[in-house]
Amino acid sequence: MILKRIALLNFVLLTWVSYAQKTTILDQASKTPIAYATISFGDGQGIFADDEGAFVFTKKLYPDVDTLYISALSYKNVTIPTAELPKTILLEEEISQLDEVVLIANNRKFKEETMEPYLDDDYYHCWLPTIESEIAVYFSNPNDKLKKLSTVHFPITLESRDWEQRKKKNADKKPFSTLFKVKFYKNNNGKPGEVLVYDNIVFRATEKDGDSYDLDVTDNNIIYPENGFFVSLQVLGYTDEAGKLLPNKKYKELKGRDGGIVKIPTNFRPLLPFTNEIETYNTFIKRVFISGNDWVQFKPGSMDSSLLKTGLTNYGIGITYKVYKDE
């Protein structure tokens, strides 16, 4: 069944490309592809480039869009009229945003500590991820020891093909193959601030990963800031079985009772379980529909959410980090 679905999606992609222009985003200096850049339409819509920096835009799907806003980590933003959309877009590197590198001796002793993720398999305890939303979770710094992140543990909830069997561990799980983007932010007075790491970090989750996805970030050299940090998650879309990002739309367009078009965010799997076991409000949400796409603390009174109404206030990401001993 899943192979038929992938074949259908690939057919849709080929049909779509035949009626639209394929554009590739490249680094201006090296002419290498910039993977997973964001192509925004300025009104809450948008798409992503794939791992080869390519995206397809068509006026057939977006007839009212006249300008694209291209952005990528560590690059200067570019604005391009859709009437003049070239086949290649060059982005200039933002030199002032190069990462600060902290060197740690390979033989330095450390102990590894883990904050476990909060897992849940109840559909009604979950956030349904959409492309136009980003979730960020705050981690305070427990002490002044030098620490380096090793792994981020993202809890996910699997769904059963049979609704009545969904909570059973041996239930037949619905298949999915979804690409996520991960960012790390500095703590700016209790809210996500500047980007902490400019690496392009993505991972693909499937139903085979179980109740959490463990992302190894050892090579990204992420040093624990003194005043803590935020780690965020954003869905890029579904992929084929080889991990190639498939085309998708941010919204489903439905006819309203008045005959007008209503845009409903497209939900992706897997679901992201929320918890009531964390006393502080560590989770922030950024959505185009809330507070002008600015970060909002996920707590009662901040937004209309069924999760908040039932006391589920945090996405329980876990982390593992190395704590280095004093030299």
Side-chain angles (χ1 to χ4, degrees), residues 118-130 135 154-160 163 166 174 176 178 180 205-207 210-213 233 235 238 266-274 307 315:
Y118 292 81
L119 309 178
D120 200 325
D121 62 356
D122 192 328
Y123 176 92
Y124 296 105
H125 291 178
C126 294
W127 179 277
L128 280 65
T130 60
I135 299 177
F154 294 100
I156 60 178
T157 293
L158 307 179
E159 295 177 271
S160 172
W163 180 260
R166 64 191 175 90
K174 287 184 178 180
F176 59 84
T178 307
F180 287 94
T206 74
E207 75 282 359
D211 294 331
S212 69
Y213 185 93
L233 189 66
V235 64
Y238 288 131
T266 302
N267 296 320
F268 290 82
R269 269 51 181 174
L271 309 180
L272 307 180
F274 273 50
L307 295 175
Y315 178 42

Side-chain angles (χ1 to χ4, degrees), residues 22-37 49-55 72-75 88-91 200 244:
K22 179 179 179 180
T23 300
T24 303
I25 303 173
L26 304 177
D27 180 287
Q28 186 178 57
S30 66
K31 302 300 187 292
T32 55
I34 300 175
Y36 309 116
D50 62 17
D51 59 317
E52 296 177 349
F55 70 94
L73 285 176
S74 77
Y75 289 90
T88 301
I89 297 174
L90 302 178
L91 296 189
N200 204 2
K244 188 76 172 179

